[in-house]
Amino acid sequence: MNVWLDVTAIALMISTSLIIAIRYISSGIKWLSFQSLMLSFLTGALAIETGRTDLFVIAVLTLIIKAIIIPYILFRTLQAVGVERQAEKSFGRDRLMIAVLAMWAIGYYVTPDFGQGNGHNVYLSIAIGMLLSGVLIMITHKKALMQGVGLIVIENSLFLAALSTSFGMPFLVDIGIFMDVLVIVVLISALSFRMDELLSSMSIEKLKRLKG
Amino acid sequence: MILLWMVLVPVLTGLACVITVQRTLRILFHVIGSVVTFAFVLYVVWDLAQHGSMEAFNQFFYADDVSAIILSIVGIVSFTASLHSIGYMQHEVSDGHIKVNQLRSYYLLLHLFIATMLFVPVVNNLGMMWVGIEATTVVSAFLVALYRTAEALEAAWKYLILCSVGIAFALLGLVVLYSSSVQVYGPAENRLNWTFLSRVAQPLPAHLLLLSFVLLLVGYGTKVGLAPMHFWLPDAHSQAPSPASALLSGALLNTAFFAILRMFAIVMRMEGSVFVSHLVLIFGILSLLVAFPFILLQQDIKRMLAFSSVEQMGIIAFAIGIGGEVGLVAALLQMFNHAMAKSTLFMTAGNMTQYYRTKNMGRMRGALQSMPYTGPLFLIAVFAVSGAPPFSLFTSEFAISANAFATGHWFGTALFLIVLAAIFGVMVYQSGRVLLGSTPHKEMMKERVGWTTIPLLLPLSFVLVFGLFIPHSVIEVLQHAALIIEGRAQ
């Protein structure tokens, strides 16, 4: 069982790193879907290990909402505005990869013995690294839809943090968070679609009218 | 049960408004729904003032005197804004700013927004409170984007992204809080409940509580508009339709502040909570200092009011940071008073922008003369919000600074008073430009009176009455709420 947990953890790290580096928005969405899928596996594995049914429900919901519905909505928006959109980045790929590595390192160092109190909680480190990487995605990417992707990476990281420290948040809270995230994605899609319509671009650099 | 209905009625009203095609019928539903919502809120507040606390559904809902204050703010502001909406939105339609069918979604969103704001102060689980606050962001972002202009789009985008990321940090804070609670007391569903966390005999590990508080303060502070996390606020508040701006500034900021207060109360129970108070104090002073130059140089009337909200939240944070029973009572009073005055200001500013067809204060002249109803209301509200006597904000700001001096915060209080005085001057100067003088062209139409002006008398009457006399029962509620925030009562 532990081997599988490690594999999913590594998959989470790889997918997060790749989302920063991708060239096309569509591959970013695919990796996001993959990341959520891994998260769902992890939750499912924990559900089997601990025998908790609520975790199992959460795993299924993660699969349906985060790995299928949300990427689908983002993908449809992308299709509506033109599929072969490139992800514009403020920095080159090499520098971004170094920055991501730094995020993982920070994630490792700021999370000493915390949580169950049985040594270094590696999943929490990964969660913090993912959180920082999500923020990095939002800072460095200029396309509105990629900011949405970054936001979901942040949400995923918080989900992982809750999972690794206390087997997820209370059940109802988790459900509520799912609903919120879903509506946020709908809103992000609607707004980026309208942005493309109105400013004929999805780049947030066009949003510079309001100052002072 | 009553708490559930209070939250459900606006949801049902919104749904009724969106499925009704006929205009008169929709407005009828809207008015009835608003009145019923307001009645429920008043009943709950009255009940809380009598009994101190109430709970429902196996402690899913829990409300106390702090909730009562926030509920009364949300109730009054949303009732006023709902009635104001009827006239305002009709005018927007006839001016061609929005399409007729957008009105349906406007009313739906307005009522959903009110429902989420009523949900936050009465929910027991801090995680559900987070969900509620995130829901307020989502619903109000739709409202900010209602005008389909590039500016509105930009404001909504900034609002959604900044607040969602900010609040993600609050969620991390809750994860820390929950896991430390589970670690100490063992796993159970109620470990994130306010009723549980505020009553535990043995406090949670201090370093984890502090970490959690800092994350929550930054996260919810983004939503409250504390500097330096306030960047979305002037954009969103100025681009939304005016009744929505009034709700954002008057009600939503306080609702977010409520979430901070809940965590504050938990942290205050532990030893060495001075750090926490100082942190809040610093954010408060910073917000005051940041807001001042933007109010001074502002041309857009609604942006000026939005920055004034940043300043006011700074004042409240300052008062909470100073603490003490008097300080906290004054802070809560300031919250209430600001909500009343600022919502009036936003709605009167909405009337003015419709009348002059611009938001630029340089192009408005002689509002006192040409708008004989809105003009005086705006004048009174400006003086009230900048803290002139005899209005209620003077009372609360006086109490805040007197308490701060009494507790020995000489330097901070002096700075506080200097900035307040400067902002007072600037606000009066800026609004003088708009109100005084003669109308740019004489043949301008007469001001319309009705839905857009009469409801504003409700919040304004509180500003006037509480400036002169505060009923004893209100003081009692405030004092008990202050004790709860200090962690000395349940």
Side-chain angles (χ1 to χ4, degrees), chain A residues 114-115 138 144 147 154 158 165-166 168 170-171 180 183-184 187 191 194-195 198 204 207-212, chain B residues 131 134 138 141-142 145 149-151 153-154 157 161 165 168 172 178-179 183 189 208 235 239 294 298 303:
Chain A
F114 173 87
M138 299 189 72
Q147 300 221 318
I154 293 177
L158 294 172
T165 52
S166 48
F171 184 66
D180 275 344
V183 185
I184 285 179
L187 189 53
L191 287 180
R194 214 183 282 172
M195 216 180 276
L198 213 61
I204 52 160
L207 300 177
K208 275 186 179 163
R209 282 162 184 258
L210 298 170
K211 277 180 195 150
Chain B
V131 171
E134 182 72 38
V138 175
F142 277 110
T149 60
E151 285 88 358
L153 189 64
E154 177 180 345
W157 183 259
I161 295 295
V165 174
L172 185 62
Y178 181 58
S179 65
Q183 220 174 311
E189 278 287 305
L208 292 181
D235 296 347
Q239 294 301 322
F294 288 99
Q298 203 51 248
R303 284 183 88 80

Side-chain angles (χ1 to χ4, degrees), chain B residues 88-100 103 354:
Chain B
Y88 182 85
M89 293 318 279
Q90 198 51 45
H91 198 286
E92 291 295 273
V93 171
S94 59
D95 269 5
H97 290 304
I98 58 167
K99 298 192 192 78
V100 182
L103 271 184
Q354 284 189 333

Side-chain angles (χ1 to χ4, degrees), chain B residues 70-89:
Chain B
I70 304 295
L71 281 178
S72 56
I73 292 173
V74 176
I76 296 167
V77 174
S78 56
F79 181 62
T80 316
S82 296
L83 296 187
H84 175 80
S85 289
I86 301 169
Y88 182 85
M89 293 318 279

Side-chain angles (χ1 to χ4, degrees), chain B residues 7-46:
Chain B
V7 179
L8 270 186
V9 166
V11 175
L12 296 176
T13 313
L15 292 177
C17 286
V18 81
I19 54 170
T20 322
V21 184
Q22 208 206 342
R23 184 182 158 266
T24 350
L25 198 61
R26 185 170 58 235
I27 287 181
L28 186 70
F29 281 145
H30 168 69
V31 172
I32 292 174
S34 307
V35 171
V36 174
T37 311
F38 191 46
F40 270 113
V41 173
L42 287 182
Y43 180 79
V44 169
V45 171
W46 182 77

